[in-house]
């Protein structure tokens, strides 16, 4: 039997993984400060608490004044370590689930949505331990230089709580919900709408067409999945009473989340598509 199909699959998978990893790395480096702000809003108790941020602008001012510029990049190492495999898994599994669903008599709209759901659930399995470490580091309000390192904090979690659902995999079910719902809407909306709106022959207008659809995809998916995101942050972050999850508002941190994942979602899709096209032509 010819080995060409397997070689073809390896080449295709390699392009998808490299393009997905590149998309994740670019997105996290650009958008991480908004993720820090989003997490802080989600884990703070209430607006009357003297330590709570009063508004989005207030959060930026307080973090800059008390923690310095690097305060906006707290917890960035876990996402950087996770983003390449995470986004590689996200895009690669989406393409594979989409291919598998092609053998079933489903409408294209349903195929994109189900493939997105599958990719999100798979992504959640990979990323959850990194999320636990990231949220814990982001919750720390000390100056950047006074914060524990990523490795030491991860060791602290493992030593104190272990590797299970109370330790390094805390909030696993909420992470499944967050990523599954987000990717189902994100991929489903993007590819269905992109297929409806005609391709523009002008490269700049075509870029703007894709960016606009990606922006809407990330924004809508963020609004729909944020209850899972808030629950995840509350479970994984420091609790006022050990073991108690007190979700005061399911839409806390929505504005910074949209500000991050609206344009961030567009950036990811565009970096993925253009990188994948370049790899097809040159590698």
């Amino acid at each position: 039997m010819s080995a060409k199909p397997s070689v073809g699959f390896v080449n295709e998978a390699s392009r998808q993984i490299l393009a997905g990893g590149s998309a994740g790395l670019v997105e996290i480096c650009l958008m991480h400060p908004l993720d820090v702000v989003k997490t802080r809003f989600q884990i703070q108790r209430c607006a009357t608490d003297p330590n709570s941020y009063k508004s989005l602008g207030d959060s930026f001012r307080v973090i800059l004044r008390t923690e310095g510029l690097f305060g906006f990049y707290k917890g960035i190492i876990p996402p950087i370590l996770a983003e390449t495999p995470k986004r590689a898994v996200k895009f690669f599994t989406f393409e594979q689930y989409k291919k598998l669903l092609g053998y079933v008599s489903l409408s294209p709209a349903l195929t994109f949505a189900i493939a997105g759901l599958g990719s999100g659930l798979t992504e959640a399995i990979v990323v959850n331990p990194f999320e636990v470490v990231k949220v814990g580091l982001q919750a720390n309000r000390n100056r950047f230089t006074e914060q524990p390192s990523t490795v030491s904090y991860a060791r602290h979690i493992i030593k104190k709580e272990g590797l299970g659902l109370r330790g390094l995999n805390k909030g696993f079910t909420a992470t499944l919900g967050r990523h599954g719902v987000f990717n189902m809407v994100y991929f489903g909306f993007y590819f269905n709408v992109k297929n409806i709106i005609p391709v523009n022959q002008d490269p700049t207008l075509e870029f703007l067409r894709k960016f606009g659809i990606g922006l809407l995809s990330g924004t809508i998916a963020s609004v729909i999945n944020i209850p899972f995101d808030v629950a995840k942050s509350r479970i994984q972050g420091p609790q006022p009473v050990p073991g108690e999850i007190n979700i005061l508002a399911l839409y806390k941190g929505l504005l910074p989340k949209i500000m991050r994942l609206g344009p961030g979602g567009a950036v990811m899709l565009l970096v993925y598509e253009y990188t994948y096209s370049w790899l097809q032509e040159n590698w």
Side-chain angles (χ1 to χ4, degrees):
M1 182 180 289
S2 172
K4 287 184 179 179
S6 61
V7 172
F9 172 77
V10 170
N11 288 339
E12 179 189 33
S14 299
R15 294 186 193 107
Q16 291 167 356
I17 289 169
L18 285 171
S22 300
L25 187 60
V26 171
E27 190 271 342
I28 196 64
C29 290
L30 290 175
M31 312 306 291
H32 189 74
L34 286 164
D35 191 61
V36 172
V37 173
K38 179 212 70 169
T39 301
R40 293 285 181 85
F41 270 105
Q42 290 176 343
I43 62 177
Q44 71 181 17
R45 300 236 29 205
C46 60
T48 57
D49 187 328
N51 293 318
S52 292
Y53 304 119
K54 306 302 183 286
S55 65
L56 185 63
D58 179 57
S59 69
F60 278 98
R61 286 191 295 271
V62 172
I63 292 172
L64 186 61
R65 185 179 70 248
T66 61
E67 302 172 50
L69 183 62
F70 287 112
F72 292 107
Y73 291 90
K74 283 184 173 180
I76 196 173
I77 298 300
I80 285 178
L81 293 175
E83 282 303 316
T84 299
K86 171 184 171 181
R87 302 307 187 191
V89 166
K90 179 192 189 82
F91 285 98
F92 170 69
T93 56
F94 172 73
E95 298 290 354
Q96 300 312 308
Y97 286 133
K98 189 173 66 174
K99 187 183 294 183
L100 286 173
L101 289 167
Y103 297 107
V104 184
S105 298
L106 296 175
S107 67
L110 199 54
T111 297
F112 290 130
I114 295 175
L117 175 63
S119 73
L121 295 176
T122 309
E123 179 186 33
I125 296 170
V126 175
V127 78
N128 193 65
F130 295 94
E131 285 288 317
V132 173
V133 176
K134 184 201 77 171
V135 170
L137 292 173
Q138 288 178 338
N140 186 319
R141 296 198 180 194
N142 294 328
R143 295 193 69 85
F144 190 85
T145 53
E146 300 169 354
Q147 181 174 307
S149 70
T150 300
V151 173
S152 66
Y153 187 67
R155 285 175 177 166
H156 168 75
I157 294 172
I158 295 169
K159 184 177 180 180
K160 185 178 178 182
E161 304 290 351
L163 297 169
L165 298 179
R166 292 186 178 181
L168 205 59
N169 272 291
K170 186 163 49 175
F172 178 61
T173 54
T175 303
L176 285 174
R178 183 181 83 151
H179 288 267
V181 171
F182 182 89
N183 285 312
M184 179 175 67
V185 177
Y186 180 64
F187 283 119
F189 184 90
Y190 179 76
F191 286 101
N192 281 296
V193 173
K194 195 178 82 161
N195 288 342
I196 293 170
I197 300 176
V199 174
N200 201 298
Q201 298 305 313
D202 183 289
T204 302
L205 293 177
E206 175 60 10
F207 175 87
L208 292 174
R209 179 185 79 100
K210 290 180 178 178
F211 185 87
I213 300 169
L215 179 66
L216 279 174
S217 302
T219 300
I220 294 169
S222 296
V223 172
I224 292 174
N225 93 318
I226 194 171
F228 294 99
D229 197 6
V230 174
K232 182 197 74 68
S233 293
R234 283 300 182 96
I235 292 167
Q236 293 175 342
Q239 296 300 311
V241 178
E244 178 183 315
I245 308 304
N246 183 17
I247 300 174
L248 301 177
L250 289 175
Y251 283 81
K252 275 194 170 184
L254 178 60
L255 182 56
K257 180 179 174 72
I258 288 174
M259 289 174 66
R260 181 203 167 183
L261 288 175
V267 167
M268 272 196 296
L269 285 164
L270 288 173
V271 172
Y272 175 77
E273 289 195 359
Y274 284 106
T275 303
Y276 184 74
S277 295
W278 185 87
L279 289 170
Q280 277 186 311
E281 294 175 4
N282 297 279
W283 187 58

